[in-house]
């Protein structure tokens, strides 16, 4: 998308984001989906850095208002680096909506714009939020969040083996989304700050993939 030269202060996580998209939908015929997911995922560490590191309070207020209004004219008030980033969000969302309407006959732009109403800054994490709201210890909050994860995994697995109003492939993609999200976030932030395990996984899957071809005896 050409964002790196224009937003040089932000982390460039292209390989990690592509690895994430492969974890969601890996079949060869869905390369177009992986490209779209990668573009969206790349925007996540950038918006974190814009809100947490680089943007001033006044700039962030203007940017948040622009995203919430989804009005292209509103970017005139933004600084140059925010104009580039807003157009990246805007163009990607409209491109996905166009492709979905053209190929599937479904108009999804309202859902994409709703998902893009970003509220960052001092974002409370799930464990810290539960500790504050319920006056419990870290251990108690951690145990509660783990129980929620377990219950939701049970629901996902139940849908996979019983009748569902959703297509089977949609259910599998939703399950894969949970799997790859767990890989990236249950042991820290492997997307924003990849550890050696994440780097090794990317290397062995994408850079120098392990051969699965059968060899003649």
């Amino acid at each position: 998308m050409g964002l790196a030269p224009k937003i040089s202060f932000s982390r460039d996580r292209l390989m990690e984001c592509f690895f994430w998209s492969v974890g969601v939908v890996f079949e060869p015929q869905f390369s177009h989906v992986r490209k779209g997911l990668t573009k969206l995922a790349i925007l996540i560490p950038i918006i974190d850095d814009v809100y947490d590191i680089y943007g001033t309070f006044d700039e962030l207020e203007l940017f948040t208002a622009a995203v919430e209004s989804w009005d292209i004219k509103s970017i005139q008030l933004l600084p140059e680096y925010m104009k580039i980033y807003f157009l990246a969000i805007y163009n990607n969302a409209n491109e996905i909506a166009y492709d979905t309407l053209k190929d599937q006959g479904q108009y999804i732009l309202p859902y994409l714009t709703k998902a893009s109403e970003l509220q960052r800054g001092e974002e409370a994490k799930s464990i810290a939020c539960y500790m504050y709201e319920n006056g419990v210890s870290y251990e108690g909050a951690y145990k509660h969040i783990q129980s929620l994860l377990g219950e939701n995994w049970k629901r996902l697995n139940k849908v996979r083996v019983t009748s569902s109003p959703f297509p089977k492939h949609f259910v599998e993609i939703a399950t894969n989304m949970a799997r790859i999200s767990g890989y990236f976030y249950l042991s820290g932030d492997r997307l924003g700050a990849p550890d050696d395990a994440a780097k090794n996984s990317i290397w062995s899957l994408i850079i120098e993939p392990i051969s699965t071809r059968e060899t003649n005896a």
Side-chain angles (χ1 to χ4, degrees):
M1 293 186 290
L3 286 174
K6 300 294 183 179
I7 310 179
S8 57
F9 62 85
S10 182
R11 295 163 291 174
D12 187 357
R13 295 291 181 260
L14 176 60
M15 293 303 298
E16 289 80 6
C17 291
F18 181 70
F19 180 75
W20 177 82
S21 72
V22 172
V24 175
V25 54
F26 61 87
E27 294 88 345
Q29 67 268 31
F30 295 120
S31 62
H32 184 68
V33 177
R34 282 190 293 278
K35 290 177 182 177
L37 286 175
T38 301
K39 287 182 179 180
L40 291 176
I42 285 172
L43 299 174
I44 296 173
I46 295 177
I47 195 62
D48 281 344
D49 293 342
V50 167
Y51 272 84
D52 297 339
I53 299 173
Y54 196 79
T56 67
F57 182 79
D58 291 339
E59 290 174 346
L60 297 176
E61 280 196 324
L62 290 173
F63 181 78
T64 302
V67 174
E68 290 178 346
S69 68
W70 206 249
D71 182 2
I72 194 67
K73 296 179 182 179
S74 63
I75 70 170
Q76 298 175 11
L77 301 174
L78 300 178
E80 193 67 23
Y81 78 97
M82 281 187 171
K83 289 179 181 177
I84 296 290
Y85 184 74
F86 179 86
L87 285 174
I89 300 173
Y90 188 87
N91 291 339
N92 272 287
N94 283 298
E95 180 182 355
I96 292 171
Y98 170 77
D99 288 340
T100 305
L101 181 61
K102 175 172 60 73
D103 298 336
Q104 306 294 330
Q106 300 292 328
Y107 182 62
I108 65 170
L109 186 58
Y111 302 101
L112 294 175
T113 56
K114 183 177 181 180
S116 298
E117 290 177 3
L118 305 171
Q119 296 183 13
R120 303 298 305 171
E122 297 299 322
E123 180 185 15
K125 304 303 181 184
S126 57
I127 292 178
C129 185
Y130 189 80
M131 289 172 62
Y132 175 79
E133 291 181 349
N134 296 276
V136 299
S137 65
Y138 175 87
E139 291 75 15
Y142 179 84
K143 184 177 180 180
H144 175 74
I145 298 300
Q146 288 296 314
S147 70
L148 293 179
L149 289 172
E151 288 301 316
N152 279 282
W153 267 115
K154 291 177 182 178
R155 293 172 62 189
L156 267 176
N157 288 328
K158 182 179 180 180
V159 171
R160 295 181 66 203
V161 298
T162 59
S163 60
S164 170
F166 301 106
K168 182 178 180 181
H169 193 70
F170 177 86
V171 174
E172 286 302 312
I173 288 177
T175 305
N176 290 341
M177 178 78 77
R179 288 171 175 153
I180 195 65
S181 298
Y183 174 83
F184 271 109
Y185 292 113
L186 285 182
S187 299
D189 182 4
R190 286 176 168 170
L191 181 63
D195 56 12
D196 289 340
K199 294 175 183 177
N200 291 336
S201 296
I202 293 171
W203 190 271
S204 63
L205 183 70
I206 300 173
I207 309 300
E208 291 185 356
I210 299 171
S211 176
T212 58
R213 291 178 297 178
E214 293 182 2
T215 57
N216 296 325

